[in-house]
Amino acid sequence: MIKLKKSDYDKIVLHAKSCLPEEACGLIAGREVEGVKYIEEVYLLENTDHSNEHFNISPQDQLKAIKDMRAKGLSPLGNWHSHPETPSRPSEEDKRLFFDSKARYLILSLMDKENPVLNAFIVVNHTDVSKDELVIE
């Protein structure tokens, strides 16, 4: 299970909408307690590919976010990105790039911009995809 504050959910949605028609992306950090991952910080980062079909986070932005996580005593929990035109599920490219089975991959679908859909996924061996329970509170 992974938990996200409603204010951070709203922050992700607002940023993703502001990046349209491109995919938006970022990192998530927090703590794990008794198997539950608590997102305590959401990083809104630039998609340096400027594409509506894939994303890339600049190494400098990623390093800056990791340094901030460490300074706050947080652990990296994964990343998030938006799908401007497709459902909230990993694409074949996403599965190819997702390599850490401990990370959570949050995907926000903006197919229906008035009703965004956010899901969390676990990907193992680039092929085995399962949904993790995402609680927004």
Side-chain angles (χ1 to χ4, degrees):
M1 175 188 305
I2 188 162
K3 292 191 174 189
L4 176 68
K5 293 178 281 203
K6 174 72 165 73
S7 59
D8 284 334
Y9 167 80
D10 292 339
K11 183 176 164 181
I12 289 171
V13 170
L14 184 64
H15 181 70
K17 285 182 176 182
S18 76
C19 291
L20 289 171
E22 299 173 1
E23 285 191 2
C25 59
L27 298 174
I28 54 174
R31 292 175 173 58
E32 184 170 351
V33 179
E34 297 178 4
V36 177
K37 295 177 185 295
Y38 293 89
I39 299 171
E40 297 180 28
E41 192 74 42
V42 170
Y43 296 89
L44 310 176
L45 304 176
E46 180 186 2
N47 175 359
T48 58
D49 286 347
H50 300 286
S51 169
N52 67 333
E53 295 179 344
H54 50 88
F55 73 97
N56 189 38
I57 298 170
S58 81
Q60 296 87 352
D61 285 351
Q62 191 168 358
L63 182 59
K64 185 178 175 183
I66 296 294
K67 284 182 178 180
D68 186 70
M69 290 175 202
R70 287 183 182 151
K72 293 177 177 174
L74 302 175
S75 299
L77 297 179
N79 68 44
W80 70 270
H81 74 280
S82 64
H83 283 182
E85 302 154 0
T86 57
S88 174
R89 65 174 178 247
S91 66
E92 290 306 312
E93 180 176 353
D94 290 338
K95 288 188 254 183
R96 184 176 59 79
L97 296 173
F98 294 169
F99 62 91
D100 185 352
S101 62
K102 294 179 185 170
R104 294 303 176 267
Y105 300 97
L106 276 57
I107 301 176
L108 175 72
S109 173
L110 293 174
M111 282 178 59
D112 178 352
K113 290 166 193 52
E114 299 308 312
N115 298 294
V117 175
L118 182 66
N119 287 305
F121 297 92
I122 303 165
V123 180
V124 179
N125 297 327
H126 304 288
T127 55
D128 299 330
V129 177
S130 60
K131 224 176 181 183
D132 195 6
E133 182 180 358
L134 173 65
V135 176
I136 299 171
E137 45 188 24

